């Protein structure tokens, strides 16, 4: 696939992914997406379900996910379409490198993983 639709907060999830997830199907999908992102495809930022959500068994997270997306957009000033490496660089510079990860998604159930890796 040469283009992906990805929620803005999933850019953070991808940066901190360690092979854990909600289910085997989810982790296989996430691993495949991350491998394909190395080809620097065009990313369309989207609200709602994306290529990662498609294999996630989690339900009822829309409000929290919308909040996370909004914070990423507000902090990074991103929208529309960008190539993966540019998008990743922007999010890394504006959120991860400035210590603002907790501000975006500190109440996420997976933050214990990301919070540890943020300082690495």
């Amino acid at each position: 696939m040469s283009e992906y639709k990805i929620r803005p907060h999933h850019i953070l999830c991808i940066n901190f992914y360690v092979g854990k997830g909600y289910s085997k199907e989810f982790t296989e999908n996430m691993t495949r997406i991350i491998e394909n992102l190395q080809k620097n495809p065009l990313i369309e930022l989207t609200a709602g379900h994306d290529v990662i959500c498609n294999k996630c068994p989690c339900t009822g997270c829309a409000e929290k996910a919308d909040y996370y997306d909004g914070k990423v957009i507000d902090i990074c000033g991103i929208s529309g379409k960008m190539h993966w490496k540019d998008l990743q660089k922007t999010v890394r510079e504006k959120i991860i490198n400035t210590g603002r990860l907790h501000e975006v998604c500190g109440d996420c159930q997976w933050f214990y993983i990301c919070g540890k890796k943020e300082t690495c």
Side-chain angles (χ1 to χ4, degrees):
M1 180 180 278
S2 59
E3 185 174 314
Y4 285 96
K5 289 186 178 185
I6 294 183
R7 293 187 77 127
H9 85 272
H10 281 156
I11 302 161
L12 292 167
C13 301
I14 290 166
N15 272 283
F16 293 105
Y17 180 69
V18 294
K20 297 181 181 183
Y22 302 99
S23 68
K24 182 180 178 188
E25 186 178 32
F26 175 85
T27 56
E28 288 172 351
N29 183 58
M30 184 73 137
T31 299
R32 186 176 55 255
I33 290 167
I34 290 170
E35 288 171 0
N36 289 331
L37 290 175
Q38 299 312 308
K39 299 172 189 166
N40 200 28
L42 192 60
I43 305 299
E44 179 181 348
L45 296 172
T46 187
H49 276 63
D50 66 4
V51 295
I52 294 169
C53 296
N54 287 339
K55 300 295 181 180
C56 183
C58 181
T59 59
C61 60
E63 188 175 317
K64 190 180 279 192
D66 289 345
Y67 173 81
Y68 297 159
D69 288 341
K71 290 297 287 183
V72 171
I73 290 167
D74 289 346
I75 293 170
C76 296
I78 55 176
S79 64
K81 294 182 180 184
M82 293 175 72
H83 281 95
W84 170 249
K85 290 181 182 178
D86 296 330
L87 196 54
Q88 187 180 38
K89 179 182 177 192
T90 299
V91 169
R92 187 167 287 281
E93 288 175 353
K94 304 257 181 168
I95 296 174
I96 298 169
N97 293 349
T98 60
R100 296 182 78 179
L101 184 65
H102 189 273
E103 179 184 335
V104 175
C105 51
D107 64 344
C108 172
Q109 72 183 57
W110 299 102
F111 188 79
Y112 73 97
I113 294 171
C114 308
K116 288 179 190 174
K117 289 181 72 180
E118 179 182 25
T119 57
C120 296

